[in-house]
Amino acid sequence: MNGIVEKNQLIFDFASGSLSPSKSIFASTYLFLNSKASSLNRTFENLLGESLFENEGTPTNNLKYTDCLSSNNVGTSKNNLLDNTKTPISKIVGPLNKLNWKQVYKGFSEFIPDIDDNDELKLIKMEPGASVPHHSHGGKEFILVLNGSFADEYGTYSKGDLQINDQKIKHTPVACKDEGCICLTITEKDVIFFGRYGSFLNLFTFIKSFFK
């Protein structure tokens, strides 16, 4: 999968107002934390605006990522990167350190916001050194780092970094040993585990899907 193309497509779809509610929240948080992505979004908005002038009468959605922020917090700055209480996702769920995290297994917890959408938006928290078993994906997986960092077979991802995976990608994410990580994720379909406990984990995931 070409990560750059996928990231640019996500930003373009957000600028054009064609994303689902969950992906709009995800994308707006990405733009808030990543200045390069924010700059590209402004470019897309300008291009789309010019296109509207050339095609009068075309219906549009006026949602911009800045609509998710208060007037005092628009834009990406060093202070924004240091204060996660100002991110779009935190404006919806509250401070990350006060969430009612649900432990899935030792070192790995999750929080699922109550959003009526086919795309499941999820926050995950990995304690320092915790890992996710080797797995792939039935559909696309979007991972945005909000705090700390993690590494897998393809690199190291820190605050503001976005990773997009598909069914061709197999990886084993491991949280950094210093502070762990908190990530905002969207997984279009259930993950597929491999290795010694793969069959058990896939059965657990299948059973869990009935209680979503």
Side-chain angles (χ1 to χ4, degrees):
M1 168 172 280
N2 189 327
I4 295 177
V5 171
E6 292 295 327
K7 291 175 185 177
N8 290 352
Q9 186 65 52
L10 177 69
I11 298 170
F12 180 83
D13 290 342
F14 179 78
S16 64
S18 61
L19 292 178
S20 67
S22 291
K23 284 183 177 173
S24 291
I25 295 168
F26 183 95
S28 65
T29 304
Y30 174 45
L31 299 178
F32 184 86
L33 293 174
N34 191 298
S35 59
K36 290 184 179 179
S38 177
S39 177
L40 181 59
N41 178 68
R42 288 194 294 271
T43 299
F44 284 149
E45 286 183 340
N46 290 335
L47 291 173
L48 289 166
E50 293 175 0
S51 178
L52 285 176
F53 281 117
E54 296 172 359
N55 299 276
E56 293 184 9
T58 302
T60 183
N61 187 328
N62 292 323
L63 177 67
K64 304 186 296 296
Y65 84 97
T66 48
D67 295 333
C68 297
L69 312 174
S70 70
S71 59
N72 294 326
N73 294 325
V74 174
T76 301
S77 69
K78 184 177 181 180
N79 289 334
N80 290 343
L81 294 176
L82 295 175
D83 187 356
N84 273 341
T85 64
K86 296 180 180 180
T87 63
I89 183 60
S90 291
K91 288 182 175 295
I92 294 172
V93 303
L96 302 183
N97 61 352
K98 295 183 179 181
L99 295 181
N100 184 22
W101 294 97
K102 180 180 179 180
Q103 181 171 306
V104 180
Y105 57 85
K106 185 177 180 180
F108 185 97
S109 302
E110 64 181 26
F111 178 86
I112 302 176
D114 185 15
I115 299 174
D116 185 15
D117 193 1
N118 291 329
D119 290 320
E120 184 178 69
L121 189 71
K122 183 186 297 185
L123 284 152
I124 61 173
K125 179 170 69 173
M126 298 173 65
E127 301 298 333
S131 64
V132 180
H134 194 56
H135 66 278
S136 181
H137 310 271
K140 289 181 182 178
E141 178 194 48
F142 302 78
I143 306 174
L144 173 63
V145 182
L146 303 181
N147 269 332
S149 65
F150 76 89
D152 64 8
E153 294 83 345
Y154 302 93
T156 299
Y157 303 86
S158 302
K159 190 172 184 175
D161 289 339
L162 170 63
Q163 184 186 56
I164 302 178
N165 302 311
D166 64 8
Q167 63 271 21
K168 297 178 182 178
I169 298 295
K170 296 179 182 179
H171 66 154
T172 309
V174 180
C176 69
K177 295 183 179 180
D178 295 330
E179 56 180 333
C181 71
I182 296 178
C183 298
L184 183 63
T185 73
I186 290 179
T187 303
E188 294 180 341
K189 295 184 180 180
D190 289 336
V191 299
I192 304 169
F193 292 100
F194 300 93
R196 183 177 180 181
Y197 301 104
S199 297
F200 170 78
L201 292 171
N202 288 328
L203 177 60
F204 174 77
T205 301
F206 175 72
I207 295 174
K208 185 181 176 182
S209 66
F210 289 98
F211 298 92
K212 291 183 178 179

